[in-house]
DNA sequence: CACATCACGATAACATCGATAGCATCAATG
DNA sequence: CATTGATGCTATCGATGTTATCGTGATGTG
């Protein structure tokens, strides 16, 4: 019996290591694909290139993932999982609205840091919801939203809140990435975030009475139509107005 | 001489029709590709399938567009142009904030009606800004924003306003399309739109009724509190504002 | 009008990629 | 030990992007 138990244990251990080996190579292939995606773009992710980078052969990919789409799905899953890991870091029950902001920022920063992966994860409408790690992340998000609701902050449906958070984050990342680098204004991200907070919660945004900047903007828009000032004067005036708007 | 003129005319007419023929087949190929894209998805857009649908041969695509990417770029351009056509419809100078809402709705509805085309046009960050028709649409949008600014409605930079409008629309379309049909809440779209309006405009115009003199007055009233400009600069600025107010 | 030029239709071909077949090897199992 | 099954490896097939090539008819020229 002890012998039987021993062999059983050995067998179990052996099959475990066999499954582990399979899982390890699977992980190696996924990481090779993710690396290739991040470094050389989506078109560089061919079955042959991934197999070569992972030190195996093309048919192995089909034995592991069934399909190239299966491989990409695994890469997406891996992306959601790594993002989820950074998300789990701090879950201290501080201000739930502040938690909402932090979670949104984290998601956006992840997208900006991994543009190709983000495009694969979110730009294809069909693949978006299918991931298990994505569902786990969704549960975390819904937990945050639930806490908002419990605190009396929530302004809309919980599901609508989740959709709003996703939509603003997606729009933020994709628009940011589509802008040329010299036109990327960080205010785009913060404004979208506060916009999202205002739409989801009851927290009134600090109504800045920044009348100066508004007056400057209005005047700037109306300046081209005036005929009083010379072009040199108008040019200098416009410069000063810019400075006023920037510092105001 | 009459003979020379006649042959010249014929030559011109002939070369014109030749160029027209080229343009017509080009258009036919683009529309075939757009049709294929809309009806059978992105993967169905192969050079052979497009050529067959357009009644020509694969090499013709390369003579017309140089590249498959060139063909897709032409499809994107075509998409922007058709959207631009629907946009030009009504440009009545009504309430500029209402114009903003209408323009945003139009853009979102276009995306929802043409999901595959929209993904091709906007989900790839690089291809987004390169289109001529897109730049034309951007000019229309900037015109709308300029009118907001002239009316004293604008709350942020004009370029930031444009980015916010694009980002919210993109997030709205892509998130809507990624949701299963039974989870699509129209409130997602209206909430995002109103969120965008709240981020871009003031509920009430800060500078009432948009006169140059009014903007000048507002600015004059707020100038003493600023610390950006030197006293000399502020003095000259104040003089110019006086002249603007007097002549406006 | 005769001739050169050039764009276009059409076919074939090449390289790459996704996907599969087939075979050898090697470990696990009864 | 024989069997089963998974894996490494090569070769291969069909599809796709892309190019070469040839013939033809239109275009432009002397």
């Amino acid at each position: 019996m002890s012998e039987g138990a021993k062999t059983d244990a050995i067998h179990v251990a052996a099959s475990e290591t066999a499954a582990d080996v399979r899982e390890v190579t699977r992980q190696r292939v996924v990481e090779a694909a993710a690396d290739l995606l991040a470094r050389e773009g989506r078109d560089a992710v061919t079955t042959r290139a991934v197999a070569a980078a992972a030190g195996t052969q093309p048919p192995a990919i089909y034995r592991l993932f069934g399909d190239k789409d299966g491989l990409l799905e695994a890469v997406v899953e891996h992306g959601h999982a790594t993002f989820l890991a950074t998300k789990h870091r701090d879950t201290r029950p501080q201000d739930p609205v502040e938690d909402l902001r932090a979670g949104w920022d984290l998601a956006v920063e992840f997208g900006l840091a991994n543009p190709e992966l983000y495009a694969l994860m979110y730009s294809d409408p069909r693949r978006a919801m299918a991931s298990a790690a994505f569902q786990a992340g969704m549960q975390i998000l819904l937990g945050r939203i639930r806490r908002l609701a419990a605190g009396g902050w929530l302004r809309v449906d919980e599901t609508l809140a989740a959709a709003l958070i996703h939509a603003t984050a997606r729009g933020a990342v994709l628009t940011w990435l589509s802008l040329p680098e010299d036109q990327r204004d960080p205010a785009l991200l913060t404004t979208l975030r506060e916009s999202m907070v205002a739409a989801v919660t009851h927290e009134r945004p600090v109504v800045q009475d920044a009348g100066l900047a508004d007056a400057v903007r209005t005047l700037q828009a109306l300046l081209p139509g005036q005929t009083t000032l010379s072009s040199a004067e108008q040019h200098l005036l416009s410069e000063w107005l810019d400075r006023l708007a920037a510092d105001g």
Side-chain angles (χ1 to χ4, degrees), chain A residues 12-84:
Chain A
V12 168
S15 67
E16 265 182 3
T17 55
D20 277 2
V21 164
R22 187 185 171 90
E23 195 55 36
V24 162
T25 66
R26 197 186 141 95
Q27 200 69 13
R28 200 181 53 208
V29 172
V30 169
E31 279 166 14
D35 242 48
L36 223 50
L37 176 68
R39 259 190 293 111
E40 304 184 33
R42 158 133 208 200
D43 289 343
V45 183
T46 73
T47 56
R48 286 171 175 83
V50 170
T56 161
Q57 307 78 33
I61 292 181
Y62 294 86
R63 283 200 266 258
L64 286 171
F65 305 96
D67 204 340
K68 188 194 175 181
D69 225 54
L71 170 62
L72 293 182
E73 224 165 289
V75 171
V76 166
E77 178 76 29
H78 180 257
H80 277 124
T82 59
F83 172 56
L84 199 60

Side-chain angles (χ1 to χ4, degrees), chain A residues 4-157:
Chain A
K6 199 183 287 179
T7 53
D8 273 11
I10 289 176
H11 288 172
V12 168
S15 67
E16 265 182 3
T17 55
D20 277 2
V21 164
R22 187 185 171 90
E23 195 55 36
V24 162
T25 66
R26 197 186 141 95
Q27 200 69 13
R28 200 181 53 208
V29 172
V30 169
E31 279 166 14
D35 242 48
L36 223 50
L37 176 68
R39 259 190 293 111
E40 304 184 33
R42 158 133 208 200
D43 289 343
V45 183
T46 73
T47 56
R48 286 171 175 83
V50 170
T56 161
Q57 307 78 33
I61 292 181
Y62 294 86
R63 283 200 266 258
L64 286 171
F65 305 96
D67 204 340
K68 188 194 175 181
D69 225 54
L71 170 62
L72 293 182
E73 224 165 289
V75 171
V76 166
E77 178 76 29
H78 180 257
H80 277 124
T82 59
F83 172 56
L84 199 60
T86 75
K87 206 174 184 178
H88 261 310
R89 210 60 58 79
D90 58 315
T91 325
R92 303 173 285 190
Q94 37 176 337
D95 179 8
V97 179
E98 215 45 52
D99 273 0
L100 178 63
R101 283 197 176 87
W104 192 91
D105 281 348
L106 225 59
V108 169
E109 280 160 18
F110 179 82
L112 299 187
N114 310 82
E116 304 274 350
L117 178 60
Y118 190 86
L120 192 66
M121 287 165 67
Y122 287 113
S123 85
D124 183 1
R126 292 157 303 185
R127 215 195 312 271
M129 329 277 296
S131 159
F134 172 80
Q135 291 300 334
M138 181 64 109
Q139 287 312 312
I140 291 184
L141 176 61
L142 286 178
R144 282 214 178 96
I145 294 173
R146 177 62 53 93
R147 264 175 291 162
L148 279 172
W153 296 98
L154 204 59
R155 182 190 257 241
V156 294
D157 272 8

Side-chain angles (χ1 to χ4, degrees), chain A residues 172-215:
Chain A
V173 170
L174 291 180
T175 300
W176 178 272
L177 291 177
S178 76
L179 288 173
E181 289 195 11
D182 58 345
Q183 287 182 29
R184 291 176 178 173
D185 184 356
L188 171 63
L189 305 182
T190 59
T191 307
L192 275 172
R193 162 160 54 77
E194 293 313 309
S195 218
M196 178 275 297
V197 170
V200 168
T201 74
H202 276 123
E203 191 197 48
R204 271 290 166 202
V206 201
V207 179
Q208 63 274 35
D209 53 344
L212 182 70
D214 293 302

